[in-house]
Amino acid sequence: MGEEYSLEDRFQQYVEAENKVEPKDWMPEKYRQTVIRQMSQHAHSEVIGMQPEANWITRAPSLRSKLILLAKVQDEAGHGLYLYSATETLGITRDELINQLQTGKAKYSSIFNYPTVTWADMGAVGWLVDGAAIQNQVMLCRTSYGPYARAMVKICKEESFHQRQGYEIMMRLAAGTKEQKAMAQDALNRWWWPSLMMFGPSDDNSPNSAQSMKWRIKRKSNDTLRQEFVDKTVPQAEFIGLTIPDPDLKWNEERKSYDFGEMNWDEFYAVVKGNGPCNKQRIINHIKAHEEGAWVREAANAYAKKQQARKKQSAA
Ligand code: FAQ
């Protein structure tokens, strides 16, 4: 028991000194489980997040916008791949992770349970959803688990291209016809609050935050990141002449920050519990794609086995 405590103390000092924890290092079991939980939720979000955008690939209004959207959706698949691989270094298999997603044991970001109903939604998703993702993920480049931190560096670079892609769509629509501007405003109206919900419950109601911050898994609290996102995004909306749908939004000169209204927490918890507008559809689609892709996994495994056998043969 005493030894266990001292290992934990040493681990705490190690992360507080800004060292990275690597897969073969000793770590408290709860640390391992917490990182698996967060990283897998993150990986699932990237992969499920492909669905609302893939919905518009065939209907993008120009060849240029189609190519960009296609590249963005492929990037999300890549992010899922790095994150699943990094999660596997903690001793859980890809099959187990996918099973947890498909059976509802593991969560993914609430935001991807909202429908994308117009082309302007591609703008709002890129601008706001990727914008919120970057706000949260820049701090994760300094997270204490080494493979997660390293994966996040490349992911953040790509997310910032995604954010600009979305903002460009909004900028064009906002400067277009009256109808186009109205479409951009409508998308902002629908995506603003769900984007703020991406940061999770308020600090007072966030059961995992204290321990995750102590272990340097999370580097900033949910409310701090949400506030930073609001402060950064409001001037961007003003610049293109759109209005943030929050009557309580007001610059606070004393805090040098925006005050903003209360989120609809009932809606947040309903979506997180599986009762959002698209939760069921997202999982049905995932299961279908996974089943249809079984032959690809089988072929890849057969190829890997063949390569291994060849390597063995030439080494003998
Ligand atoms: N949705 O105690 P906390 C992206 C859960 S990637 C659903 O505060 P924690 C890229 C939470 O899991 C977006 N569930 O939890 C892209 C916990 O449940 P559990 C994803 C949520 O972990 C863009 C419970 O509530 N990013 O967008 C949500 O300390 C465009 C209590 O909450 C990441 O995953 C939510 N919004 O903090 C892709 C980043 N919020 O597991 C395609 C990494 C909370 O105990 C297109 N993750 N919950 O049963 C994190 O930074 C953290 O996990 C938080 C939550 C901040 C999300």
Side-chain angles (χ1 to χ4, degrees), residues 37 41 76 107 110 130 136 197 200 206-208 218 222:
R37 181 184 63 76
Q41 167 178 311
E76 313 297 0
K107 297 187 168 78
S110 49
D130 286 278
N136 166 283
M197 291 175 195
S206 165
N208 301 298
K218 282 167 84 165
N222 298 358

Side-chain angles (χ1 to χ4, degrees), residues 33 54 58 62 76 135 146 155 186 196 224 268 278 288 295 298:
Q33 293 307 330
T58 55
S62 69
E76 313 297 0
Q135 199 65 45
I155 292 178
D186 169 63
L196 295 192
T224 303
F268 170 74
C278 302
K288 185 167 175 280
W295 69 271
E298 280 162 23

Side-chain angles (χ1 to χ4, degrees), residues 33-43 136 139-140 143 148 212 217-218:
Q33 293 307 330
T34 303
V35 180
I36 289 177
R37 181 184 63 76
Q38 179 167 325
M39 281 175 78
S40 63
Q41 167 178 311
H42 194 163
N136 166 283
M139 70 155 180
L140 294 176
T143 190
Y148 194 13
S212 288
I217 298 169
K218 282 167 84 165

Side-chain angles (χ1 to χ4, degrees), residues 37-39 41-43 45-50 52-53 72 76 79 105 107-112 125-126 129-130 132-133 136-137 139-140 148 159 162 194 197-202 205-209 212 218 222 225 268-269 272:
R37 181 184 63 76
Q38 179 167 325
M39 281 175 78
Q41 167 178 311
H42 194 163
S45 303
E46 298 281 358
V47 170
I48 295 289
M50 293 165 74
E53 292 187 308
K72 179 182 191 291
E76 313 297 0
H79 299 174
K105 270 189 222 133
K107 297 187 168 78
Y108 59 88
S109 183
S110 49
I111 193 76
F112 302 117
V125 168
V129 176
D130 286 278
N136 166 283
Q137 290 170 15
M139 70 155 180
L140 294 176
Y148 194 13
E159 297 291 17
H162 298 169
M197 291 175 195
M198 285 176 73
F199 295 95
S202 63
N205 293 310
S206 165
N208 301 298
S209 276
S212 288
K218 282 167 84 165
N222 298 358
L225 290 166
F268 170 74
Y269 286 110
V272 169

